[in-house]
Amino acid sequence: MSAPIIAASARSITKSFGSGTARIEVLHGIDIDAYESEILMLLGPSGCGKTTLISILAGTLTADRGELRVLGEPLHAMKKSAITRFRARNIGFIFQQFNLIPTISCEENAAVPLLIQGMSLSKALPHARKSLDQVGLSEHMKKRPNQLSGGQQQRVAIARALVHNPRLIICDEPTAALDAENGQLVMEIFRGLMRQPGRCAIVVTHDHRILQYSDRIATMNDGRIVESVPTSKFDFDHHR
Amino acid sequence: MFRLALKMLFGDSAKYLMLVFGVMFATFLMTQQSSVFCGLMRWTTAILKNAPAPIWVVETEVRQVNQTIAMRDTDLGRVRSCDGVDWAMPLYSGVQNVRLENGSLTVVQLLGIDSTTFAGAPTRMIEGSIGALRQPNAVIVDDLALSRLSPDPKTPLKMGDTFEINDQEARIVGICKAMRSFTGGPFIWTTYERALSYSPPQRKMLSAILVSPSAGRDADSVAASIERQTGLKAYTNAGFQSSERDFNTATMFWYVKNTGIPISFGTTVLVGFIVGVAISCQTFYLFVLDNLKHYGALKAMGASNGKLCMMLLSQVTVVGLVGYGIGLALASLFGLAAIKNTQPPFYMPDVIPFAVLGVIILICSLASFLGILRVSLLDAAVVFRG
């Protein structure tokens, strides 16, 4: 069996906010790897630094110190504009509050990453429709987000995250705004779509009910990774 | 991204309409007030248009055409003898009272022209002929006079009707089109001699001398020559800013400098600008704030600041063009109604729509600036903070 390929690798990542006496270090030398073809879930209490870490891994926030390689690219050494272009090509995003644009249709929302890459709307829409079909929303393509349920909106967000076939998916509390049933449904669909080889997903969550959909779980506390184990070895009872 | 930007804009119909209204209001107010101002300024030079002549010779102290300082009759002969003068004819210009049939008085602008050459006669006759002025008590009136001088505006005067100027009979032998006067009264043409008889006698009655330069001589040099040889003031009459000696220009600038008209209109134009800025900037900034999380998400997904700025600029450009178009159309409709009704004065030179467009671009730039600044400084990581 060949060694897993690293999709994202963080070494000695530190990050502080504020200045002077109000300066607070929220990440204390984080080391973490995420591999291709896996779903890595980041677990931990509020304020432990999960969101800060995921922002750094996504390239939307710059670390104070440390090295960050995503899909082989040294993000820590790249210019902001190059990171922005890198994100547009290689990273898909799923947000807690869906962040769908309410004034455009679901298919147009799903097409947004392709529009950002410079594709025309007419060329992007067939890809968006295909992506929406994959999440079971082919009947709702023309509707606006506010005409859909929360679960359906998050499925539109998944379609949007995957429309440009990114190799890294960043998910921030994807089921936080959903009820248990819809949360499970969304994760079922997400898990199914993640079966594609070479894809890696990093999911920040509080929701223990969705941990079963991960391949590996990293637990954070007070700005440090305290545990990183395959899901099969995770002590669910201890963390409950 | 352009279509996405527009769909975001049109999707928020309340703010879109408010933005369009702000730009439309500013456009309408600035265009309409500027055009009324230009129309009013044109009215100040109505006599120059209604009694056309290449050169106007007036008393030395005259600074604008509505100011009448009478000259001696002998000045006419002095001007005729000047180098470069083809012909020179007398003109009487004065405000007189007309008594209507019902006994009320109304003010008219009386012009007395040379009875031989009819220099200074109206150029657009509707009925009758200028030659008919040679008949006894004959006058030519503009179309405004037909209703103004009638005791009942519903039954306007017609050819052959009579009225009294300073208690002396005048009979209409011609009707013409003419530019409205600054004083608002209608124009009446008659012969120079009859105009003097209609007016209260004074020692000097010659208001101006209308001059044409000889063939091959330009009006400017002949006017300069007349001034040199007679000591009188000679203006050319070729249109606003056609030359340094132009009487239209001198008249308009006199009103600009010596009356509160520009301040009054300027204040209204300024109010239009300020209201446009206030509504557009505030509403567009609110629109940006409302959509900030979406711009943040777009930024996180890889949209560059440049792309987001282009989205904002395309939104504000569409708002600007739609608002400007509607505002300009409304101002034009107002103008058409004003022209049909003969008042208020309205004249929209080409420069006004372009200047207002420039101001609207400035307003839109100000409105988009704050939004662009906000979005440019937006941290993409904000979307992960709930």
Side-chain angles (χ1 to χ4, degrees), chain A residues 51 54-55 58 60-61 84 87-88 93 95-96 99-104 108 112-113 115-116 118 121 160 170 172, chain B residues 1 3-4 7-9 11-12 291 293-294 296-304 307 379-381 383-386:
Chain A
T51 300
I54 204 175
S55 300
T60 58
L61 194 65
T84 303
R87 276 206 309 272
F93 290 88
F95 306 107
Q96 184 178 339
N99 281 35
L100 300 172
I101 299 170
T103 52
I104 60 176
E108 288 163 340
V112 163
L115 301 180
I116 288 172
L121 186 62
R160 181 180 65 183
I170 299 287
D172 180 33
Chain B
M1 292 299 271
R3 284 174 68 180
L4 180 67
K7 281 174 178 259
M8 283 174 76
L9 176 69
D12 191 346
N291 286 287
K293 67 173 184 176
H294 303 307
L298 291 173
K299 211 167 184 178
M301 286 188 278
S304 63
K307 273 204 172 90
D379 184 357
V383 287
F384 294 120
R385 291 178 199 144

Side-chain angles (χ1 to χ4, degrees), chain A residues 172-185:
Chain A
D172 180 33
E173 306 271 10
T175 57
L178 304 177
D179 58 43
E181 190 184 338
N182 269 312
Q184 297 290 327
L185 179 62

